[in-house]
Amino acid sequence: MPAAPPFDDAHDADEALMLRYAKGDMAAFDRLYARHELAVWRFVFRSVKVQAVADDLLQDVWFAVARNAARYEVKAKFRTWLFTLAHNRLVDHLRTAKHHTSLDASDDDARTLADTLVADSGFGPVRQLQSREQAAALIAAVEQLPLEQREAFLLQAEGDLSVQEIAEATGVNFETAKSRLRYARASLRQHLKEFV
């Protein structure tokens, strides 16, 4: 097999990397994983709210990428295809899941999600406290969204998907995806109006 050309992060589209991986280029898979691992994990984590479950689901999503590599065709953006896999795995999990914990639940030695949203910054203690309160309010507001609205919001916020891509990933039409986002945003604005 001839050597694959070197990577050029500025020009290597995800779709080209996936096609290279489908032909056996493991370095292409590593690049895709590095680019998208965190966004997929955040989407899954903020949906299931348990780190260990999110870790398992993330692994399942990337196994699905590997299993489907030979059949991969460029019909949409790779990111849309990837988040469709994540959505499908999440739906399967939620159908069988019996217990959900808070988005802010954490292990004893781990920082809470509210703390992670308030990135370490140069702000003083008062400003950090306000930011932490805003992050906690956002988490609570997102948790209160109906599942379909929460998923649409997280696909856009974490996955950076367009409305059309959200529709494709969740198997609904454009207007339904748009409506879910509109209702999610309206609900979040209502819950967070004290911070505006």
Side-chain angles (χ1 to χ4, degrees), residues 64-181:
V65 169
R67 278 192 310 272
N68 291 296
R71 294 186 305 275
Y72 176 77
E73 295 178 18
V74 180
K75 294 180 180 177
K77 288 182 180 178
F78 170 80
R79 194 171 180 91
T80 303
W81 181 74
L82 177 64
F83 277 91
T84 300
L85 293 176
H87 161 77
N88 291 341
R89 184 62 193 103
L90 184 61
V91 167
D92 291 344
H93 169 76
L94 292 176
R95 282 185 186 138
T96 59
K98 295 183 173 128
H99 303 288
H100 298 286
T101 60
S102 168
L103 278 172
D104 216 24
S106 65
D107 298 326
D108 292 338
D109 59 342
R111 290 172 30 161
T112 66
L113 182 57
D115 288 336
T116 63
L117 288 175
V118 182
D120 295 331
S121 66
F123 293 130
V126 172
R127 177 72 173 135
Q128 286 181 359
L129 179 60
Q130 290 171 337
S131 295
R132 192 171 291 112
E133 289 171 356
Q134 290 172 342
L138 174 61
I139 291 166
V142 170
E143 279 186 334
Q144 292 177 22
L145 292 173
L147 178 62
E148 293 85 6
Q149 291 176 24
R150 181 172 63 231
E151 182 178 48
F153 174 78
L154 291 173
L155 282 169
Q156 188 171 62
E158 296 296 348
D160 198 27
L161 270 61
S162 68
V163 175
Q164 182 60 44
E165 292 166 337
I166 292 168
E168 291 169 16
T170 58
V172 298
N173 66 43
F174 178 87
E175 289 303 320
T176 300
K178 184 177 175 182
S179 176
R180 288 175 179 176
L181 277 172

Side-chain angles (χ1 to χ4, degrees), residues 52-64:
V53 174
D55 291 346
D56 289 344
L57 290 173
L58 177 71
Q59 187 176 19
D60 289 350
V61 169
W62 287 101
F63 281 148

